[in-house]
Each structure stands twice: as C-alpha cells, then as structure tokens.
C-alpha cells in the first residue's frame, strides 16, 4: 500500500476561510493563511484551496492568498474554483500553486482537461467531481459548488477524466459534505476501482474509523478533510478577529459545531498507523 | 558573497517553488532563459514537469542545450529536478523514443501497469515516499548530507530513471515493489526525481546543503 496523503481542505470566500454543510450555509472560521500555516507546521502532506464562490462569479480570487501562502510553505498546494481557461490555470500556477482542480469547466469543456494536461503535465491537473446520490442509487455529477445538475454519471465521468489526462480525481460527496456523517465509502470505491490514477476522498470525513475505511474499503489514495481539522484548530490558530466580510456571527459566538468531533492531523495519522495504513509520520 | 543560481526557464514547470526554496536556503536565485546570464551563474538548476519529448524540444527551440553543456563543462554545480533529472539521461521511452542530454548514461522508463502480484498500479506515483542510501554509497559528500535514511520526500512521477552505472545512484526508493534510482550524482551533476522544494524541512535541507557546497566547494 502506498503512503496515504492527509490533505486539509480550505474553502475560501473572499478573504475568509469558511465552512458550510452540503457546500451551503457558509460560516466564517478565520483567515485561510493562518490555518494553512498551522496545518503546514503540524504535518499536512498537501493543502487544497477552493474558492467556493468563484465558479458562480466566474473568477478565481485566490491569487493573493496563494502567493502569500506559497512563499514560505514547502508542500504541494492545489487551487480550485472558477478556473476556465489555460490562461486561468497558468495564472494560479504562476502565483505559486502546484496543481489545479477543475470541476465546472472540465465537465462543460472536457477538452480543457486534455489541453491542460498536455501543457502543464498530468500531475498538475486534478479533476474534482461533486457527486449527489439519486433516488435510483446512481451518482450524478454537479457543478457550481453542488448547485447545478449536469446529468453526467460520476463513474463514467471519472473514467473519461482519466482518459483526458487528469493526474488525480478528487471525489466529493455533496450529500455528506460538512456533515461529519462519514465518507460515502460506496461512492469512493466505485470511482477508485474504475481509474488507475490516485483518488482523493472528500466530503463527510467523520470518525477516525470512517477515515481509515476511506482507504481500506474505499481504496482512496488520499484524504481531503475540512471540518474536523478546522474545528480542532480554531482555538490554536492565531485568534485574529479582523473579519469584516461574511457571516461572522458563528465565529464571534465562540461556539463549536455540535455534531462534529474534531481531530487534528496528528490524531488522524496516529489512527492510520495503528490501522496499518502507511503515511508520512509527523 | 552573493551566490547566483540560474533556474532554466524553458516554458515548463513550476519555477516559483524552486525559486522560493533557493531563497529560503540563502541563494540568490533567478529564472532565466538567457544563455549569457546562465554562463555567469555560480550554479544551475534544470527544473521541469510534463512530458520528456516536449521538454527536450523546448530546450532545443530555446537554444538552451549548448548553454547547459557549456555550463556543465566548467565544473560548476548543476542540478536537475523531477523531469529536469530525467532529462540528464540518454533517452526516454515516454510517447516514443526521445534522446536526452546524455550527461548520465541510462534510460527513462514508465512504471508498469501491474505489480508483481498482478494488481493494477496507480500512475502517477503521488505520495511522500522514503529514500535510502545504496550499498557502497555515502551521502556525506552530497546534497543528502545529514539527512536520515528513510526520510520522506514528496514524489510525483510516472516515469523513472534506470542508470547504466550503479555508482551514479545517490538514493533509492521503492514504488509497488520496484526499487529505482530516485536521485543520481556524477561529478558536478546532481539529479533528484522527488521535489525537495515540496518536501518541507528535510527538502529545504537539500537546498541548504547545495548552497553550502556552492559556497565552500565541499559538503
């Protein structure tokens, strides 16, 4: 078995790190740079930045955050959200990203995946798939951060993305996202078993046992985790309440999100280790 | 004393992070495709991601092959990273046969589709993987000085190097049962398959060791 990568995922709206449920109802948690720094120092294998409103506004606004963050952080950084052209991709790579994540533009224009893989190398291109389970049991791909249905079947699309030259697939269960109810192991396994490129599991990371099962049952190669890391880190990350934009009521209240059982990267990696799942030690 | 490190820009690869890592190690690095500027540098880095054939074509189209050979002949330190490491070799089988810089004798080959157990292999390899020192080799006079055996570095690649001369192998790694050369060294040339600039503290140590060598002519 390969070494599993543990990837904190940072959803960003404007200048803020946010977190929602099912990709909606965003709450401000703090500054992305502070969380990124904290995760870097405490054993993150990579970082994943997603501009969660970019596709809606048809622009990615993470260049400044990335160029500040990439300057003194020496692990891979992936950036997604609103990237529609080769030039968009070039710009975030220039700002210091190592990889880009394509969702909406990739489904609407699959040729972009092929062109981008050819120009920047397959390993630079992550295709992100947002899946929603249908009453008949099928998984369909959604775009615009889970807002719009495409009618595209997830497993078929994953296979196509690999053929187009994607280097990795990030599979998100929108149904589970932000709920901490656990990864959708069935979804992850379906995708991981049909492609020969690494698959990153995302959406719903719950108990430590469930996180381990994304690897042992779901056959994922990497874990993208947001809520349970963010809520474990909020007290430790520099408490700077200079947030003028967004829904900060939650942040100011000092409350925690009830159903989420926070764990930090060390706890996750220790659990993986005792479950005989190899990963880079901290 | 300012140490000037030229990072070869031939239109491929993430030069930003290599530049940042050099500066973190106290080197005065810059990105260039100008042959004259390359010749005046104290050390040279050949980066790269993507396909071997495209990269060689791009080096040729930018008239950068001769400046690289000239630089290597001066004996000044030269380092290839990721695809830049693979380009040091004689040839690659990536999308047909392609000739490389032939500074280190050997082949670049693809990871197979299945491992020895017949299970399908995920390619590219994307993971933090360990590096080991080959028998009869020492890291004390290399960029890996004082880096513990078994240290994890960040790897992203689909092809790997098979050097003809085992004495050129600086570090070994293993993927899906295949033990292969993850770093090479020959005279003033170092080649690293992994990404030291993406391997946190121990990766930066590689740049620091190299900076020390450029400055003091010894590790």
């Amino acid at each position: 078995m390969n070494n599993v990568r543990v990837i904190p995922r940072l959803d960003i709206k404007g200048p803020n790190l946010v977190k929602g449920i099912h990709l909606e109802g965003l709450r401000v948690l703090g500054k992305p740079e502070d969380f990124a720094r904290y995760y870097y120092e405490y054993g993150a294998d990579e970082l994943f930045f997603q501009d969660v409103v970019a596709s809606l506004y048809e622009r990615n606004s993470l260049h400044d955050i990335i160029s500040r963050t990439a300057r003194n952080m020496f692990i891979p950084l992936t950036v997604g959200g609103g990237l529609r052209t080769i030039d968009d991709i070039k710009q975030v790579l220039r700002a210091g990203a190592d990889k880009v994540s394509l969702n909406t533009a990739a489904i609407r224009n699959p040729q972009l995946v092929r062109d981008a893989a050819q120009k920047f190398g397959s390993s630079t291109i992550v295709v992100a798939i947002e899946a929603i389970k249908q009453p008949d049991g099928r998984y369909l791909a959604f775009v615009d951060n889970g807002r719009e249905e495409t009618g595209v079947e997830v497993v078929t699309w994953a296979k196509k993305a690999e053929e187009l030259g994607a280097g990795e697939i990030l599979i998100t269960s929108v149904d589970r996202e932000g709920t901490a109810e656990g990864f959708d192991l069935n979804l992850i396994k379906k995708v991981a078993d049909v492609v020969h490129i690494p698959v990153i599991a995302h959406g719903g990371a719950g108990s430590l046992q469930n996180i381990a099962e994304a690897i042992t049952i779901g056959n994922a190669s990497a874990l993208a985790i947001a809520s349970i890391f963010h809520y474990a880190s909020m007290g430790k990350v520099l408490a700077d309440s200079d947030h003028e934009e967004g829904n900060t009521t939650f942040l100011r209240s000092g409350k925690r999100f009830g159903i989420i059982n926070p764990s930090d990267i060390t706890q996750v990696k220790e659990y993986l280790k005792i479950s005989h799942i190899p990963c880079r030690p901290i | 004393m300012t140490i000037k490190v030229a990072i070869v820009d031939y239109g491929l690869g993430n030069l930003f992070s290599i530049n940042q890592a050099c500066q973190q190690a106290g080197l005065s690095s810059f990105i260039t495709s100008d042959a004259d500027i390359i010749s005046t540098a104290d050390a040279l880095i050949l980066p790269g991601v993507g396909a071997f054939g495209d990269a060689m074509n791009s080096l040729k189209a930018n008239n950068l092959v001769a400046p690289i050979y000239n630089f290597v002949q001066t004996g000044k330190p030269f380092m290839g990273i990721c695809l830049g490491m693979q380009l040091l070799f004689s040839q690659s089988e990536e999308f047909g046969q392609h000739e490389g810089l032939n500074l280190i004798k050997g082949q670049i080959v693809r990871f197979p589709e299945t491992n020895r157990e017949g299970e399908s292999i995920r390619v590219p390899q994307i993971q933090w993987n360990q590096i080991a020192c080959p028998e009869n080799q020492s890291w004390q006079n290399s960029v890996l000085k004082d880096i513990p055996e078994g240290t994890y570095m960040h790897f992203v690649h689909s092809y790997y190097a098979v050097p003809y001369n085992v004495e050129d192998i600086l570090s070994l790694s293993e993927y899906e049962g295949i033990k292969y050369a993850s770093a090479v060294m020959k005279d003033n040339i170092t080649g690293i398959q992994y990404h030291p600039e993406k391997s946190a503290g121990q990766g930066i140590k590689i740049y620091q060791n190299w900076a020390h060598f450029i400055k003091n002519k010894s590790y």
Side-chain angles (χ1 to χ4, degrees), chain B residues 67-131:
Chain B
I68 290 172
Y69 284 142
N70 293 339
F71 191 92
V72 172
Q73 276 191 350
T74 64
K76 290 190 276 190
F78 175 51
M79 184 153 69
I81 295 169
C82 194
L83 181 61
M85 175 261 206
Q86 298 186 356
L87 294 172
L88 304 175
F89 283 83
S90 315
Q91 65 249 140
S92 166
E93 63 172 31
E94 185 167 1
F95 303 116
Q97 281 288 339
H98 295 280
E99 301 301 310
L101 293 170
N102 199 26
L103 291 165
I104 294 180
K105 302 285 176 222
Q107 280 267 1
I108 305 300
V109 300
R110 194 181 188 277
F111 285 120
E113 308 229 316
T114 54
N115 62 17
R116 250 172 293 172
E117 285 75 45
E119 298 155 342
S120 122
I121 293 179
R122 288 192 200 275
V123 178
Q125 172 187 196
I126 306 181
Q127 66 167 338
W128 289 73
N129 199 351
Q130 290 174 283
I131 56 169

Side-chain angles (χ1 to χ4, degrees), chain A residues 72-268:
Chain A
N72 50 12
M73 250 175 252
F74 300 101
I75 54 173
L77 309 176
T78 305
V79 174
L83 304 173
R84 296 149 57 86
T85 64
I86 291 291
D87 199 51
D88 291 346
I89 296 171
K90 196 185 289 174
Q91 287 195 19
V92 289
L93 295 177
R94 282 238 174 101
D98 300 288
K99 300 189 265 191
V100 294
S101 166
L102 305 175
N103 173 21
T104 308
I107 287 196
R108 296 213 170 119
N109 172 22
Q111 185 64 30
L112 176 66
V113 179
R114 194 188 293 277
D115 293 345
Q118 245 159 38
K119 177 143 184 69
F120 305 108
S122 281
S123 56
T124 306
I125 310 302
V126 181
V127 166
I129 306 177
E130 289 166 0
I132 297 183
K133 194 175 187 175
Q134 304 302 303
D136 63 4
R138 289 186 311 151
Y139 291 96
L140 292 184
F142 279 61
V143 294
D144 286 339
N145 228 41
R147 290 180 189 95
E148 196 179 320
E149 189 186 323
T150 61
V152 176
E153 204 274 319
V154 165
V155 175
T156 314
W157 171 227
K159 188 79 202 136
K160 177 86 189 293
E162 177 182 24
E163 284 165 19
L164 290 166
E168 283 177 279
I169 302 277
L170 175 98
I171 180 72
T172 299
S173 163
V174 179
D175 305 306
R176 302 290 180 90
E177 203 278 335
T179 66
E181 284 170 9
F183 285 116
D184 184 339
L185 301 177
N186 181 43
L187 168 68
I188 294 163
K189 183 173 166 54
K190 276 187 174 198
V191 172
D193 286 353
V194 80
V195 296
H196 303 96
I197 51 178
V199 171
I200 308 166
H202 173 237
S207 64
L208 291 170
Q209 188 190 336
N210 169 255
I211 289 171
E213 284 170 350
I215 309 300
T216 54
I217 297 174
N219 293 334
S221 300
L223 303 156
I225 298 176
S227 303
I228 66 168
F229 284 161
H230 298 339
Y231 292 108
S233 316
M234 277 181 69
K236 296 165 195 157
V237 172
L238 265 172
D240 182 341
S241 55
D242 181 25
H243 301 286
E244 286 151 13
E245 277 184 52
N247 175 9
T248 59
T249 321
F250 172 73
L251 183 63
R252 290 175 207 284
S253 74
K255 282 183 196 155
R256 291 293 175 268
F257 187 45
I259 63 165
I260 288 175
N261 195 6
S263 302
D264 59 25
I265 299 172
T266 307
Q267 287 168 309
V268 167

Side-chain angles (χ1 to χ4, degrees), chain A residues 62-76:
Chain A
L62 297 184
H63 302 93
D64 289 349
I65 290 172
I66 295 305
S67 56
R68 280 201 302 276
T69 308
R71 205 161 289 151
N72 50 12
M73 250 175 252
F74 300 101
I75 54 173

Side-chain angles (χ1 to χ4, degrees), chain B residues 27-95:
Chain B
L27 296 166
S28 180
S29 56
F30 50 89
I31 294 162
T32 183
S33 54
D34 185 313
D36 292 337
I37 295 177
I38 287 173
S39 70
T40 62
D42 300 307
L44 186 65
I45 292 180
L46 182 62
V49 296
F52 190 99
D54 290 350
M56 275 311 291
N57 288 339
S58 186
L59 280 179
K60 286 175 195 158
N62 288 287
N63 299 314
L64 286 164
V65 175
I68 290 172
Y69 284 142
N70 293 339
F71 191 92
V72 172
Q73 276 191 350
T74 64
K76 290 190 276 190
F78 175 51
M79 184 153 69
I81 295 169
C82 194
L83 181 61
M85 175 261 206
Q86 298 186 356
L87 294 172
L88 304 175
F89 283 83
S90 315
Q91 65 249 140
S92 166
E93 63 172 31
E94 185 167 1
F95 303 116

